[in-house]
Short mmCIF file of all heavy atoms in Angstrom, two decimals:
data_model
loop_
_atom_site.label_atom_id
_atom_site.label_comp_id
_atom_site.label_asym_id
_atom_site.label_seq_id
_atom_site.Cartn_x
_atom_site.Cartn_y
_atom_site.Cartn_z
N GLN J 89 -7.37 -29.52 2.91
CA GLN J 89 -8.00 -30.36 1.89
C GLN J 89 -7.40 -30.09 0.52
O GLN J 89 -7.16 -31.01 -0.27
CB GLN J 89 -9.52 -30.09 1.82
CG GLN J 89 -10.30 -30.56 3.05
CD GLN J 89 -10.34 -29.49 4.14
OE1 GLN J 89 -9.47 -28.63 4.25
NE2 GLN J 89 -11.36 -29.56 4.99
N MET J 90 -7.14 -28.83 0.24
CA MET J 90 -6.56 -28.45 -1.05
C MET J 90 -5.18 -29.08 -1.21
O MET J 90 -4.84 -29.63 -2.27
CB MET J 90 -6.47 -26.92 -1.11
CG MET J 90 -5.70 -26.36 -2.26
SD MET J 90 -6.61 -26.47 -3.81
CE MET J 90 -7.45 -24.93 -3.84
N LYS J 91 -4.37 -28.99 -0.15
CA LYS J 91 -3.02 -29.57 -0.22
C LYS J 91 -3.11 -31.07 -0.45
O LYS J 91 -2.39 -31.63 -1.28
CB LYS J 91 -2.26 -29.29 1.08
CG LYS J 91 -1.81 -27.83 1.21
CD LYS J 91 -1.04 -27.62 2.51
CE LYS J 91 -0.60 -26.18 2.68
NZ LYS J 91 -0.15 -25.89 4.05
N GLU J 92 -4.04 -31.69 0.26
CA GLU J 92 -4.20 -33.14 0.15
C GLU J 92 -4.66 -33.54 -1.25
O GLU J 92 -4.10 -34.46 -1.86
CB GLU J 92 -5.22 -33.61 1.18
CG GLU J 92 -4.81 -34.86 1.92
CD GLU J 92 -5.83 -35.18 3.02
OE1 GLU J 92 -7.03 -35.36 2.70
OE2 GLU J 92 -5.40 -35.24 4.17
N ALA J 93 -5.66 -32.81 -1.74
CA ALA J 93 -6.18 -33.13 -3.07
C ALA J 93 -5.08 -33.02 -4.12
O ALA J 93 -4.96 -33.86 -5.01
CB ALA J 93 -7.35 -32.19 -3.40
N LEU J 94 -4.28 -31.96 -3.99
CA LEU J 94 -3.19 -31.77 -4.96
C LEU J 94 -2.19 -32.94 -4.90
O LEU J 94 -1.77 -33.45 -5.94
CB LEU J 94 -2.48 -30.44 -4.71
CG LEU J 94 -3.25 -29.20 -5.17
CD1 LEU J 94 -2.60 -27.91 -4.67
CD2 LEU J 94 -3.38 -29.16 -6.69
N GLU J 95 -1.84 -33.35 -3.70
CA GLU J 95 -0.89 -34.47 -3.57
C GLU J 95 -1.50 -35.74 -4.18
O GLU J 95 -0.83 -36.44 -4.93
CB GLU J 95 -0.51 -34.73 -2.10
CG GLU J 95 -0.11 -33.49 -1.28
CD GLU J 95 1.29 -32.92 -1.58
OE1 GLU J 95 2.19 -33.70 -1.88
OE2 GLU J 95 1.45 -31.67 -1.51
N HIS J 96 -2.77 -35.96 -3.86
CA HIS J 96 -3.44 -37.15 -4.42
C HIS J 96 -3.39 -37.15 -5.94
O HIS J 96 -3.28 -38.19 -6.57
CB HIS J 96 -4.91 -37.22 -3.97
CG HIS J 96 -5.04 -37.60 -2.54
ND1 HIS J 96 -6.26 -37.64 -1.89
CD2 HIS J 96 -4.13 -37.95 -1.61
CE1 HIS J 96 -6.08 -38.00 -0.63
NE2 HIS J 96 -4.79 -38.19 -0.44
N LEU J 97 -3.53 -35.97 -6.51
CA LEU J 97 -3.55 -35.89 -7.98
C LEU J 97 -2.14 -35.84 -8.57
O LEU J 97 -1.96 -35.64 -9.77
CB LEU J 97 -4.36 -34.67 -8.43
CG LEU J 97 -5.86 -34.73 -8.08
CD1 LEU J 97 -6.55 -33.42 -8.39
CD2 LEU J 97 -6.55 -35.87 -8.84
N GLY J 98 -1.14 -35.99 -7.70
CA GLY J 98 0.23 -36.08 -8.19
C GLY J 98 0.95 -34.75 -8.31
O GLY J 98 1.91 -34.63 -9.07
N PHE J 99 0.50 -33.73 -7.56
CA PHE J 99 1.15 -32.41 -7.62
C PHE J 99 1.72 -32.04 -6.25
O PHE J 99 1.28 -32.57 -5.23
CB PHE J 99 0.14 -31.33 -8.05
CG PHE J 99 -0.30 -31.47 -9.47
CD1 PHE J 99 -1.30 -32.40 -9.82
CD2 PHE J 99 0.26 -30.70 -10.47
CE1 PHE J 99 -1.70 -32.54 -11.15
CE2 PHE J 99 -0.14 -30.83 -11.79
CZ PHE J 99 -1.12 -31.75 -12.13
N GLN J 100 2.71 -31.14 -6.28
CA GLN J 100 3.28 -30.61 -5.04
C GLN J 100 2.57 -29.30 -4.73
O GLN J 100 2.71 -28.32 -5.48
CB GLN J 100 4.78 -30.32 -5.22
CG GLN J 100 5.64 -31.54 -5.49
CD GLN J 100 5.99 -32.25 -4.19
OE1 GLN J 100 6.36 -31.60 -3.22
NE2 GLN J 100 5.86 -33.56 -4.18
N ALA J 101 1.84 -29.26 -3.63
CA ALA J 101 1.07 -28.04 -3.31
C ALA J 101 1.99 -26.82 -3.28
O ALA J 101 1.65 -25.75 -3.83
CB ALA J 101 0.35 -28.21 -1.99
N GLY J 102 3.16 -26.98 -2.66
CA GLY J 102 4.10 -25.86 -2.56
C GLY J 102 4.49 -25.29 -3.92
O GLY J 102 4.57 -24.08 -4.10
N ASP J 103 4.72 -26.18 -4.88
CA ASP J 103 5.09 -25.74 -6.24
C ASP J 103 3.96 -24.96 -6.90
O ASP J 103 4.19 -23.98 -7.61
CB ASP J 103 5.43 -26.95 -7.12
CG ASP J 103 6.69 -27.66 -6.65
OD1 ASP J 103 7.37 -27.12 -5.75
OD2 ASP J 103 6.98 -28.76 -7.16
N ILE J 104 2.74 -25.45 -6.67
CA ILE J 104 1.58 -24.79 -7.29
C ILE J 104 1.43 -23.38 -6.70
O ILE J 104 1.25 -22.40 -7.44
CB ILE J 104 0.30 -25.61 -7.03
CG1 ILE J 104 0.44 -27.03 -7.58
CG2 ILE J 104 -0.93 -24.91 -7.63
CD1 ILE J 104 0.40 -27.17 -9.07
N PHE J 105 1.52 -23.26 -5.37
CA PHE J 105 1.39 -21.95 -4.73
C PHE J 105 2.47 -20.99 -5.24
O PHE J 105 2.22 -19.81 -5.48
CB PHE J 105 1.49 -22.07 -3.20
CG PHE J 105 0.36 -22.84 -2.57
CD1 PHE J 105 0.53 -23.46 -1.33
CD2 PHE J 105 -0.88 -22.95 -3.19
CE1 PHE J 105 -0.51 -24.17 -0.74
CE2 PHE J 105 -1.92 -23.66 -2.61
CZ PHE J 105 -1.74 -24.28 -1.38
N GLU J 106 3.68 -21.53 -5.38
CA GLU J 106 4.83 -20.71 -5.75
C GLU J 106 4.73 -20.20 -7.19
O GLU J 106 5.33 -19.19 -7.55
CB GLU J 106 6.11 -21.55 -5.56
CG GLU J 106 7.41 -20.79 -5.63
CD GLU J 106 7.54 -19.66 -4.63
OE1 GLU J 106 6.90 -19.73 -3.54
OE2 GLU J 106 8.25 -18.69 -4.93
N LEU J 107 3.95 -20.88 -7.99
CA LEU J 107 3.81 -20.52 -9.40
C LEU J 107 2.91 -19.30 -9.61
O LEU J 107 2.97 -18.62 -10.64
CB LEU J 107 3.22 -21.72 -10.15
CG LEU J 107 3.45 -21.83 -11.64
CD1 LEU J 107 4.94 -21.92 -11.93
CD2 LEU J 107 2.74 -23.07 -12.19
N GLU J 108 2.07 -19.03 -8.62
CA GLU J 108 1.11 -17.93 -8.79
C GLU J 108 1.84 -16.60 -8.81
O GLU J 108 2.62 -16.31 -7.93
CB GLU J 108 0.06 -17.94 -7.66
CG GLU J 108 -0.98 -16.85 -7.87
CD GLU J 108 -2.08 -16.81 -6.79
OE1 GLU J 108 -2.05 -17.63 -5.85
OE2 GLU J 108 -2.95 -15.93 -6.89
N PRO J 109 1.57 -15.76 -9.85
CA PRO J 109 2.19 -14.44 -9.86
C PRO J 109 1.52 -13.54 -8.81
O PRO J 109 0.35 -13.71 -8.51
CB PRO J 109 1.90 -13.93 -11.27
CG PRO J 109 0.66 -14.64 -11.70
CD PRO J 109 0.68 -15.98 -11.00
N ASP J 110 2.27 -12.60 -8.25
CA ASP J 110 1.67 -11.58 -7.38
C ASP J 110 0.77 -10.69 -8.23
O ASP J 110 1.16 -10.30 -9.32
CB ASP J 110 2.74 -10.67 -6.77
CG ASP J 110 3.45 -11.31 -5.58
OD1 ASP J 110 3.67 -12.53 -5.60
OD2 ASP J 110 3.78 -10.56 -4.64
N ALA J 111 -0.41 -10.38 -7.72
CA ALA J 111 -1.19 -9.31 -8.34
C ALA J 111 -0.63 -8.02 -7.73
O ALA J 111 -0.99 -7.63 -6.63
CB ALA J 111 -2.68 -9.47 -8.04
N GLY J 112 0.28 -7.40 -8.47
CA GLY J 112 0.99 -6.23 -7.93
C GLY J 112 0.36 -4.93 -8.39
O GLY J 112 1.02 -4.09 -8.97
N LEU J 113 -0.92 -4.77 -8.10
CA LEU J 113 -1.64 -3.59 -8.60
C LEU J 113 -1.49 -2.42 -7.64
O LEU J 113 -2.46 -1.72 -7.33
CB LEU J 113 -3.11 -3.94 -8.83
CG LEU J 113 -3.36 -5.20 -9.67
CD1 LEU J 113 -4.85 -5.41 -9.92
CD2 LEU J 113 -2.62 -5.12 -11.01
#
Side-chain angles (χ1 to χ4, degrees):
Q89 292 87 334
M90 170 75 91
K91 286 181 181 166
E92 224 175 58
L94 285 170
E95 312 285 326
H96 287 175
L97 295 172
F99 291 81
Q100 295 278 315
D103 293 351
I104 302 287
F105 294 156
E106 192 57 28
L107 203 61
E108 183 179 0
D110 281 36
L113 310 183

